[in-house]
């Protein structure tokens, strides 16, 4: 297992966002993490990526405890948060160079250009990010999330606000990453057709608890989702 | 080393911008007007040089503090608002390195103001006994001030 989450609890004052969360992700999966708005998806990702701390529970990522060895975990993961912002005064090249320096990857200009080409930003490398469309920024965010060649990639609603072509391109890129480089993808979304197309396993979260987890059978996601998340399903 | 990259980014983001330059031009104009008044105004020119130096140093410290607060607040609140801080937190950089990088940029801002103010200090305090001592005190005081800014770095560590 590349991710092992055990009895994770997170509270914001009186509100319990995660209420004893348990699930596993296998290496090589494209793992769909589903749930209605406010179910706790983003909180889970923020804890798994070390952005915030949990109140209790254990998380092992590739055998490392995220709370005790956060730097070891951050070297092998990367993520595209839901509301990822950009340094809009930088060019795409400068943006990736800055983050590659933080990973001490020392990417050459050629490597940066190939990465940008891989996400479909060929010819736009020297443009200021402020001139990019939402879809282009999302692609740049994915390029940023690939600079350390992560073993595990967290994506929080990566296709939100994209047109059909943008969505298709990102789907193809994720499938390619998973098949060719063996990257495990943890995909948080509420777009069920994204899950149907991409994921081999899913977990559904509602009110901070996993209500369903398992393999994906084509054509059944919508039924499973509504059965699992309707009021009283717990 | 990561701290250096963050500091360079901060300097480019807040200091080497039209807004940053505008602040420095404004600081120069305020100091020019003030120095002119000290040297030509009949009532102000009655002050001895030590007092003049003390007053202009107060203005320089206040200017540095004001600009430091504006840049310092933007360094954290701005990044949170623009959603860029999460990507930094996901990278293998600890919060102390981020805070020190930002602190480095705040200090750079102060040293720019200090260098801008040097000619005015020399003009106003020319020939006075306290000039060099005053400049040294001002440099030390201005360097220590950013350490007391709310976001640096101790509150940030707890966040």
């Amino acid at each position: 297992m590349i991710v092992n989450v055990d009895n994770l609890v997170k509270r914001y004052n009186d509100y319990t966002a995660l209420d004893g969360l348990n699930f596993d992700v296998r290496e090589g999966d494209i793992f769909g993490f589903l749930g209605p708005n406010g179910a706790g998806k983003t909180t889970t990702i923020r804890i798994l990526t070390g952005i915030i701390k949990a109140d209790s529970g254990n998380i092992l990522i590739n055998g490392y405890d995220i709370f005790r060895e956060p730097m070891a975990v951050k070297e092998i993961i990367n993520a595209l948060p839901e509301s990822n912002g950009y340094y809009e005064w930088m060019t795409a090249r400068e943006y990736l160079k800055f983050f590659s320096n933080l990973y001490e990857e020392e990417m050459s200009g050629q490597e940066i250009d190939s990465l940008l080409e891989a996400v479909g930003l060929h010819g736009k490398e020297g443009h200021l990010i402020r001139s990019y469309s939402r879809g282009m920024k999302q692609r740049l965010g994915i390029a940023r999330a690939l600079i350390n060649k992560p073993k595990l990639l967290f994506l929080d609603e990566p296709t939100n606000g994209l047109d059909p072509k943008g969505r298709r391109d990102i789907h193809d890129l994720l499938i390619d990453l998973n098949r060719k480089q063996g990257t495990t993808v943890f995909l948080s979304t509420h777009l069920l057709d994204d899950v149907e197309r991409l994921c081999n396993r899913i977990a559904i979260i509602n009110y901070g608890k996993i209500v369903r987890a398992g393999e994906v059978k084509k054509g059944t996601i919508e039924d499973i989702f509504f059965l699992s998340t309707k009021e009283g399903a717990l | 080393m990561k701290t250096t990259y963050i500091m360079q980014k901060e300097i480019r983001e807040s200091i080497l911008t039209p807004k940053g330059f505008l602040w420095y031009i404004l600081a120069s104009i305020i100091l020019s007007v003030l120095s002119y008044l000290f040297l030509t105004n009949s009532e102000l020119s009655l002050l001895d040089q030590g007092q003049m130096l003390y007053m202009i140093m107060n203005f320089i410290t206040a200017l540095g503090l004001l600009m430091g607060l504006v840049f310092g607040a933007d360094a954290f609140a701005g990044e949170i608002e623009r959603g860029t801080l999460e990507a930094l937190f996901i990278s293998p950089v600890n919060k102390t390195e981020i805070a020190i990088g930002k602190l480095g940029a705040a200090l750079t801002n102060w040293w720019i103001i200090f260098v801008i103010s040097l000619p005015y200090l020399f003009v106003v305090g020319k020939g006075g006994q306290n000039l060099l001592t005053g400049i040294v005190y001002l440099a030390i005081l201005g360097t220590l001030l950013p350490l007391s800014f709310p976001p640096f770095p101790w509150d940030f560590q707890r966040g």
Side-chain angles (χ1 to χ4, degrees), chain B residues 4-68:
Chain B
T4 314
Y5 294 127
I6 291 169
M7 186 176 142
Q8 284 171 352
K9 191 270 292 175
E10 288 297 320
I11 289 172
R12 277 192 64 194
E13 191 167 28
S14 56
I15 296 176
L16 301 177
T17 61
K19 199 169 95 181
F21 283 117
L22 202 66
W23 272 102
Y24 298 126
I25 290 168
L26 198 68
S28 307
I29 292 170
I30 292 171
L31 287 171
S32 300
V33 171
L34 209 62
S35 305
Y36 180 76
L37 285 175
F38 273 132
L39 298 175
T40 59
N41 183 282
S42 55
E43 285 175 24
L44 285 174
S45 59
L46 292 176
L47 294 170
D48 70 43
Q49 271 180 320
Q51 282 175 307
M52 279 190 204
L53 198 63
Y54 178 74
M55 282 179 80
I56 201 164
M57 277 167 53
N58 278 347
F59 272 103
I60 293 163
T61 311
L63 263 175
L65 189 63
L66 176 71
M67 286 176 66

Side-chain angles (χ1 to χ4, degrees), chain A residues 24-36:
Chain A
D24 297 311
V25 181
R26 297 183 308 209
E27 199 160 351
D29 276 348
I30 299 187
F31 184 83
F33 194 56
L34 312 177

Side-chain angles (χ1 to χ4, degrees), chain A:
Chain A
M1 295 295 169
I2 194 162
V3 179
N4 180 273
V5 176
D6 180 32
N7 205 21
L8 196 65
V9 175
K10 176 70 183 174
R11 292 188 190 90
Y12 296 104
N13 298 322
D14 293 337
Y15 175 69
T16 304
L18 301 179
D19 188 12
L21 204 67
N22 294 289
F23 66 89
D24 297 311
V25 181
R26 297 183 308 209
E27 199 160 351
D29 276 348
I30 299 187
F31 184 83
F33 194 56
L34 312 177
N37 291 333
K41 301 189 295 293
T42 297
T43 301
T44 307
I45 288 193
R46 296 180 90 209
I47 294 172
L48 289 172
T49 50
I51 295 173
I52 56 171
K53 295 223 182 318
D55 293 315
S56 64
N58 295 308
I59 299 173
L60 291 179
I61 292 181
N62 206 33
Y64 297 111
D65 185 327
I66 181 73
F67 304 125
R68 290 187 185 148
E69 301 158 285
M71 288 301 146
V73 171
K74 286 176 182 189
E75 291 288 348
I76 55 160
I77 67 161
N78 213 323
L80 178 63
E82 184 183 11
S83 49
N84 191 49
Y86 299 86
Y87 301 117
E88 305 222 344
W89 48 273
M90 285 185 185
T91 64
R93 250 191 221 121
E94 289 170 339
Y95 182 74
L96 293 189
K97 183 76 183 161
F98 170 67
F99 279 100
S100 71
N101 286 335
L102 299 185
Y103 282 90
E104 292 171 347
E105 286 282 318
E106 284 301 319
M107 287 173 87
S108 66
Q110 204 174 3
E111 283 173 308
I112 287 174
D113 287 355
S114 330
L115 184 53
L116 287 168
E117 192 176 346
V119 295
L121 289 174
H122 180 61
K124 307 278 183 189
E125 301 91 342
H127 293 203
L128 288 179
I129 299 173
R130 75 164 58 98
S131 69
Y132 278 21
S133 68
R134 186 180 160 81
M136 288 161 74
K137 284 180 183 170
Q138 203 71 342
R139 287 161 195 256
L140 179 62
I142 292 176
R144 201 258 311 135
L146 297 176
I147 47 176
N148 60 328
K149 301 178 184 73
K151 280 186 81 166
L152 173 61
L153 179 63
F154 291 93
L155 300 169
D156 195 359
E157 313 276 6
T159 55
N160 256 9
L162 296 188
D163 60 18
K165 163 108 177 43
R167 277 180 69 190
R168 174 62 66 92
D169 288 348
I170 284 178
H171 288 177
D172 292 347
L173 180 71
L174 294 180
I175 292 170
D176 213 41
L177 268 174
N178 180 255
R179 290 191 185 150
K180 288 188 182 158
Q181 295 179 30
T183 308
T184 306
V185 180
F186 185 102
L187 177 70
S188 163
T189 183
H190 51 237
L191 299 173
L192 300 178
D193 45 342
D194 278 10
V195 176
E196 187 107 41
R197 176 143 195 263
L198 296 170
C199 303
N200 61 318
R201 288 183 72 232
I202 58 161
I204 300 174
I205 181 174
N206 199 17
Y207 297 113
K209 281 186 173 173
I210 297 294
V211 291
R212 187 72 69 101
E215 306 279 331
V216 175
K217 286 182 188 154
K218 297 289 172 199
T220 59
I221 297 268
E222 199 169 276
D223 291 341
I224 292 171
F225 182 82
F226 285 114
L227 278 169
S228 308
T229 57
K230 68 181 182 185
E231 291 298 322
L234 290 175

